[in-house]
Amino acid sequence: MTMPHIINYLTKIQFGENAIAELANELQLLKIKRPLFVTDKGLSATPLITHVIESAQLDDGACVFDDTPSNPTEVAVEQALTYLRASKCDGIIAVGGGSSIDLAKAVALLFNHPGPLRQYAAIEGGVTKIKADVLPLIAIPTTAGTGSEVGRASLITMKDNRKIGFSFSLSDSFGRYL
C-alpha cells in the first residue's frame, strides 16, 4: 500500500491511492470521537458512505446528516447544527462536493459562534468576528472543480435567497482534507 501525499497549504491536504486509510489517524489528531458525517441523499445511497464510516473506525456509531441541498442553504445549516448538537458530535466529516463541504463549514462555524449566520458574512464585515474556536472539520471531496476542499470560504444561500460568502480563520483544527 502506498502512503498518501501531503500538501500543507491553508489546510492539510492528503491525496493519493487509499488516502481514506488516514481518516482514523486524522480523527485522533483532531480529538474527534463522534463526528457528524455531512453529505447528500445521492451519496448516502451509495456504498461510499459506508466505506468512509468504516475507515473512521468509530467506537460509538455514526451520525449522518444527508439533507444537503444542491446549493447549501441557511435552513440546512440550522438543521444540521441542531442534529449535530442533539447527537453530541464533536467534529464534522464532510463527504461530497462543494455543497456538502460548504454546508459543513458553516455548521462548524456556528457550533461555537452565536447566530445568526449572516453576521459572519464577508460582505457584512463579519470575517473579524470569526475566532479560531471552530469545530474541527475533515472534508472528503468526491468531485473536482469547486475548490471548496482546499479553501477557507463557504457560500450559503440565505433565507432571503441571497448567496453570501463566509471566510474562516486559520485555526489548526479547521480543514483537513483526504
Side-chain angles (χ1 to χ4, degrees):
M1 177 169 89
T2 60
M3 295 299 293
H5 305 284
I6 297 175
I7 295 175
N8 286 308
Y9 177 57
L10 295 174
T11 57
K12 178 181 178 183
I13 304 162
Q14 295 189 49
F15 63 98
E17 185 177 343
N18 205 29
I20 194 69
E22 293 300 311
L23 181 56
N25 292 334
E26 290 299 322
L27 289 170
Q28 283 185 329
L29 287 170
L30 294 172
K31 297 178 175 67
I32 299 173
K33 293 186 171 114
R34 187 167 174 76
L36 174 66
F37 292 83
V38 174
T39 192
D40 59 50
K41 295 279 187 208
L43 278 176
S44 70
T46 71
L48 176 66
I49 294 299
T50 302
H51 178 63
V52 170
I53 291 169
E54 288 171 355
S55 298
Q57 300 175 15
L58 302 172
D59 294 332
D60 197 19
C63 301
V64 178
F65 178 84
D66 65 359
D67 284 328
T68 302
S70 58
N71 289 296
T73 64
E74 182 178 15
V75 170
V77 169
E78 292 167 353
Q79 291 169 341
L81 180 63
T82 298
Y83 182 65
L84 178 134
R85 287 188 170 139
S87 301
K88 296 183 169 73
C89 296
D90 59 356
I92 301 174
I93 300 173
V95 183
S99 295
S100 294
I101 296 170
D102 279 4
L103 185 116
K105 289 176 186 178
V107 172
L109 168 67
L110 285 182
F111 184 76
N112 286 322
H113 289 72
L117 179 61
R118 178 179 300 280
Q119 70 180 313
Y120 304 105
I123 198 166
E124 302 282 339
V127 174
T128 58
K129 293 180 182 179
I130 301 173
K131 305 303 176 207
D133 190 18
V134 176
L135 196 64
L137 168 67
I138 296 172
I140 302 169
T142 59
T143 62
T146 67
S148 187
E149 68 275 9
V150 295
R152 294 214 175 243
S154 176
L155 190 61
I156 304 293
T157 302
M158 306 305 287
K159 291 175 185 171
D160 64 5
N161 291 322
R162 289 178 52 209
K163 283 190 177 186
I164 297 182
F166 301 85
S167 183
F168 300 91
S169 71
L170 298 178
S171 166
D172 286 340
S173 67
F174 186 76
R176 305 276 178 134
Y177 302 99
L178 298 174

